[in-house]
Amino acid sequence: MAEKVLIIKYGEIAMRGNNRYIFINRLISAIRRNIDPMGNYYVVRDPGRLIVEDRGGELDYDLLIPRIVPIFGLVAVCPGVRLADMTFETILEESLQHMKEQYGDQQISFKVRTRRANQGFTMPSMDVNMKVGEYLLEQMPNLRVDVHNPDVMLNIEIRNSTYVHSKVIKTYGGLPYGSSGKGVSLLSGGIDSPVATWMMAKRGVEVEGVYFHSPPYTSEWAKEKVIDLAKRIADFTGEFRLYVVPFTELQLYLLDNVAHDKLTIHLKRAMMRAGEMIAKKDDAMALITGESVGQVASQTMQGIFAINAVCEMPVLRPLAGMDKQEIVNLAQKIGTFEISARPYEDCCTVFVAKHPVTKPRLSFIEKSERRLTELDRLLEESVQNAEIIDL
Ligand code: ATP
Ligand code: MG
């Protein structure tokens, strides 16, 4: 009897020479972390693939697939079966069995694709394709062959074991989470920064979030929203640390002491500095923001220049070149949009200038900042009083 398994494909990491071993181990741990709570499983290596087998009963595709899909570094997951042996008779019978089970008497076109990674099996792939195809046509009158654009691609993979599958569920790609060092993400309750955080996590960067909270100007609801966004990100990363940094005093200080049209620039610079303090403390190597060139007054090239100048670390801006609609589409796809779209304002109008400067001059910004004698102290205090929430 064939056994139900999940065949998991990984991509980019296959090319990464010596790191390969470490990366695959990371993938296996991520898979284990997500599925171990659901039952008793093996995760087996087969060159270029990982195979999930149920040690107890029959594997439940619907239970496991949603837990595999969010793992970064995987390219696809295929529900399929592992055959009891490698004989051609078994391949023939199990292919038929699989097609009957999956498609019953639906009128569909199909194509057989055999890959032979195991040279112990001598029949050429083309012959397997033809013979299995003919047999299926004989046994299932509802099928027809279409070699160019089939509804169903029946895959026969002859490896250490032999696998049959016909559904490919694409996953997000990227690199195994945590394989690229750490970054601190400035995470607001908006649409953009959760997407930016997710994108860098997808590239293997271990991420932490920093949210600047200014009660009572920003409500508890706004904070809840950020926590929920952080939880959603943790669905992909497995864990997520969020710093909630109290920023009211600092923000009021800026309000009283800088030109109103430049308030946002000063505030963003203060956020960058606080983010960098946390990053240094936690051995992170970069900041991450949801800025997108030209999206708002502070995100003109001049604005980004003036904000960026305060940082020593690289600032990763994965959304820099994306349109709002592209960002929204991605937010919907990864499940942050609904949370971000909740109607709680994240910034009180007192802090928003009617006509913010769009071309701030760095020399002017720095000059006025030199007069802010309390700024360093307020920054230190904010960071020291941050609340840490581990998700
Ligand atoms: P978002 O949708 O991410 O809030 P935005 O389009 O509202 O972005 P800005 O308000 O200009 O843009 O903020 C630019 C970036 O600064 C944000 O993407 C985020 O990384 C960071 N940021 C802004 N406000 C906060 C906050 N309260 N806490 C943490 N980071 C923030
Ligand atoms: Mg915002």
Side-chain angles (χ1 to χ4, degrees):
M1 256 300 282
E3 179 197 352
K4 279 188 179 176
V5 296
L6 291 175
I7 300 145
I8 297 175
K9 303 181 183 177
Y10 46 83
E12 196 162 352
I13 67 168
M15 296 177 285
R16 294 213 164 193
N18 290 340
N19 283 337
R20 205 186 137 102
Y21 182 77
I22 302 169
F23 282 8
I24 292 172
N25 279 342
R26 276 187 194 279
L27 289 180
I28 292 174
S29 332
I31 293 168
R32 296 224 80 102
R33 192 190 55 221
N34 284 12
I35 66 172
D36 278 352
M38 324 300 292
N40 203 354
Y41 304 99
Y42 284 119
V43 181
V44 182
R45 295 158 200 248
D46 197 327
R49 302 278 188 274
L50 293 169
I51 313 294
V52 177
E53 299 169 6
D54 200 316
R55 295 166 86 154
E58 190 180 56
L59 185 138
D60 183 345
Y61 296 139
D62 296 337
L63 180 72
L64 293 195
I65 290 172
R67 304 192 64 93
I68 305 277
V69 167
I71 297 171
F72 295 131
L74 305 180
V75 172
V77 49
C78 311
V81 290
R82 189 180 62 167
L83 310 195
D85 61 51
M86 208 188 271
T87 60
F88 181 67
E89 290 66 40
T90 306
I91 291 176
L92 216 51
E93 283 316 315
E94 293 297 348
S95 296
L96 177 64
Q97 198 59 33
H98 177 83
M99 292 301 279
K100 277 188 175 162
E101 260 175 38
Q102 295 290 318
Y103 308 102
D105 52 11
Q106 290 173 47
Q107 300 287 331
I108 49 167
S109 62
F110 78 106
K111 174 182 176 176
V112 183
R113 183 170 61 190
T114 303
R115 267 166 297 190
R116 204 162 46 108
N118 186 330
Q119 299 307 321
F121 185 89
T122 50
M123 186 186 291
S125 301
M126 289 296 278
D127 291 6
V128 180
N129 292 344
M130 290 218 327
K131 287 183 180 158
V132 172
E134 275 167 21
Y135 184 63
L136 291 177
L137 283 174
E138 237 169 70
Q139 301 290 323
M140 295 176 72
N142 52 312
L143 298 186
R144 69 197 150 76
V145 170
D146 182 342
V147 289
H148 299 297
N149 193 17
D151 299 325
V152 169
M153 180 74 81
L154 177 67
N155 292 284
I156 300 170
E157 299 199 13
I158 304 167
R159 313 175 139 268
N160 290 344
S161 298
T162 300
Y163 304 95
V164 170
H165 66 87
S166 61
K167 284 190 181 141
V168 177
I169 298 154
K170 285 211 160 32
T171 56
Y172 295 102
L175 296 168
Y177 183 66
S179 60
S180 307
K182 198 191 274 187
V184 164
S185 185
L186 306 193
L187 185 63
S188 74
I191 293 169
D192 302 329
S193 45
V195 175
T197 311
W198 182 90
M199 283 175 78
M200 295 326 302
K202 179 163 97 75
R203 292 306 299 164
V205 178
E206 183 185 346
V207 284
E208 304 189 320
V210 177
Y211 167 59
F212 300 98
H213 188 42
S214 303
Y217 302 98
T218 50
S219 66
E220 279 308 298
W221 288 111
K223 178 177 160 186
E224 285 304 314
K225 194 167 139 177
V226 178
I227 293 172
D228 287 347
L229 286 165
K231 280 187 192 152
R232 180 62 194 145
I233 293 165
D235 288 340
F236 293 90
T237 60
E239 53 192 7
F240 190 83
R241 169 166 284 194
L242 178 67
Y243 288 86
V244 178
V245 177
F247 235 40
T248 313
E249 215 185 322
L250 187 144
Q251 231 174 314
L252 289 171
Y253 175 71
L254 290 178
L255 183 66
D256 285 344
N257 291 283
V258 302
H260 202 55
D261 66 339
K262 297 177 189 68
L263 183 58
T264 305
I265 300 291
H266 286 288
L267 178 60
K268 289 280 145 67
R269 282 168 62 93
M271 288 183 181
M272 292 286 191
R273 284 185 62 191
E276 209 167 55
M277 287 158 76
I278 291 173
K280 279 186 184 150
K281 181 175 77 65
D282 287 358
D283 291 324
M285 288 178 283
L287 296 178
I288 299 160
T289 75
E291 289 160 308
S292 164
V293 173
Q295 199 189 80
V296 290
S298 59
Q299 295 174 22
T300 58
M301 285 301 285
Q302 292 85 348
I304 290 177
F305 181 79
I307 293 166
N308 198 81
V310 82
C311 303
E312 287 168 24
M313 286 185 186
V315 180
L316 306 178
R317 298 179 173 85
L319 312 186
M322 287 170 76
D323 296 346
K324 192 71 188 186
Q325 191 56 50
E326 292 174 308
I327 300 168
V328 166
N329 291 349
L330 188 47
Q332 279 167 334
K333 193 168 142 191
I334 64 174
T336 56
F337 183 78
E338 269 174 50
I339 307 169
S340 296
R342 286 184 206 158
Y344 312 112
E345 268 311 313
D346 67 346
C347 191
C348 176
T349 44
V350 243
F351 296 110
V352 180
K354 258 221 178 78
H355 300 290
V357 60
T358 54
K359 294 182 180 173
R361 283 236 316 273
L362 180 60
S363 55
F364 188 96
I365 298 284
E366 285 176 339
K367 194 170 154 204
S368 41
E369 236 165 58
R370 279 196 287 276
R371 289 196 298 265
L372 301 177
T373 48
E374 296 301 304
L375 185 59
D376 288 0
R377 178 183 63 81
L378 288 169
L379 273 171
E380 294 279 349
E381 279 175 14
S382 300
V383 170
Q384 253 158 36
N385 293 325
E387 176 191 359
I388 299 177
I389 303 174
D390 282 318
L391 298 161

